[in-house]
Each structure stands twice: as C-alpha cells, then as structure tokens.
Amino acid sequence: MNANPQAPLLNIANVLTMLRIALVPVMVVFLLLDAVPAGSGLSPWEAQHGGWRWAAAGVFTAAMVTDKIDGDLARSRNLVTDFGKIADPIADKFLVGAALVMLSVLGELWWWVTIVILVRELGITVLRMWMIRTQVMPASRGGKWKTALQAAGLFLMLLPLAAFAEWLATAALWIMIVALVVTVITGLDYIVQAMRIRRAARGNA
C-alpha cells in the first residue's frame, strides 16, 4: 500500500487514527475509576461491577472500530500517507499495550503474559521496519488471527463478566491465553520469513 503524495495530511483516515490514540488515556482513566479501593478487602473480580468498567470496554471497542474504518477509508479514497502508515500501527500497539498493562496492574492478567505479548509486538514491529530495506513483509493470515484474538480476549476481559458468572471471566482469560499462543507462533513465523528473505537477498547479491 503505497503512500499518495497528493493526499492531505489532515484527512479523515488520519483523524480517526489520532482519535484512536486519544481514546487510550480515556480507557485507562475509566479502568482506574473502577479499580478496587485501597483497604476495601475486595478482590479485583469482586469489584468488577461498576459503570466505569462498562465504559472502558466501550471505549476499547470504539477504538478498535476506528482501526477498521480508517484503513478502509485510506484505501478506498486513496488517502494513504506516510504519516498514516507510521501512526496506524503505533496507535494499535498503544491501545493493546495499555489494555494489557492495565489488566495486569488490576491483578486480572498475569504480568508474564503482558510482557511476552508486548515484547513480541515491539520486536516484530522493529523487525518489519528493518526489513523494509530488503522487502516489505506483509501481515500474514496468522497475524490477522492474532489481532482478532487479542481484540476479542481484551474486550471480554475488560467487561465485568465476573459480576455475572465466574466461568465467563475464566473463559475470557482462556481466550487471552489462546491469543498469547498465536502471538508467539506468528512472531516466530515472522522471524523465519525474515531469515529466508535475507538469505535470498545475499544469494542474489
């Protein structure tokens, strides 16, 4: 997807991307407002019943929707810009990273899960940017599944499901675990692809 030098920087696709970034601190504030009060004696699961938690899940959903819309608009209206190509993945990582960190801060997701996913996302992003000099590495089908599973898992974990049934919260956690597995596998796949591309480039040279 090549950038259009004629496309204005201030266009609807880029505005939606920046809106997604702006929604991240809003989601974080909502989660903090719903956090367990110090000294209450309640576990995080027992406190998941407030309207702020629903609001945080709603903001996360709205931000994910803008991710789909801005990409479609950029392609259909030929509004692809260099800024958008850089800002869009940053906005995605910012949103997912903030949700992961907040769930771990609230004690609802193991820190090791958050760390593994964040290291993979950052590492593969750096790898793909480095590989641009040789060949563009497009998102694989597995990468798209990874994104969908992460979004579904985070959305469900943000909802106050434990207020209705513990098994719903457990199911949401298992979806997040599946997302973790797919995240690691696709990350390894990207590394293998990069090694093959570099090997082929050396052979051609």
Side-chain angles (χ1 to χ4, degrees), residues 52-130:
W52 291 118
R53 192 63 183 240
W54 288 99
V59 170
F60 178 83
T61 303
M64 292 302 299
V65 169
T66 66
D67 182 29
K68 170 65 174 173
I69 295 176
D70 65 8
D72 291 344
L73 287 174
R75 287 185 291 269
S76 64
R77 299 189 181 186
N78 198 22
L79 296 175
V80 179
T81 63
D82 288 332
F83 171 82
K85 291 170 68 175
I86 295 173
D88 186 68
I90 290 176
D92 297 341
K93 301 298 184 289
F94 192 28
L95 176 65
V96 170
L100 287 167
V101 169
M102 285 306 301
L103 286 170
S104 293
V105 167
L106 296 173
E108 299 167 26
L109 181 64
W110 300 295
W111 272 108
W112 68 266
V113 172
T114 292
I115 292 171
V116 169
I117 293 178
L118 291 182
V119 168
R120 183 274 188 200
E121 295 292 349
L122 179 60
I124 297 303
T125 298
V126 171
L127 174 64
R128 292 178 70 179
M129 292 179 65
W130 179 68

Side-chain angles (χ1 to χ4, degrees), residues 131-143:
M131 287 297 296
I132 286 177
R133 298 178 300 175
T134 304
Q135 180 178 323
V136 175
M137 296 177 63
S140 64
R141 181 176 299 180

Side-chain angles (χ1 to χ4, degrees), residues 3 6 22 49 71 112 114 130 135 142 151 155 171 173 178 181-182 194:
Q6 306 300 322
H49 53 74
W112 68 266
T114 292
W130 179 68
Q135 180 178 323
F155 169 71
L173 182 59
V178 173
V181 173
V182 175

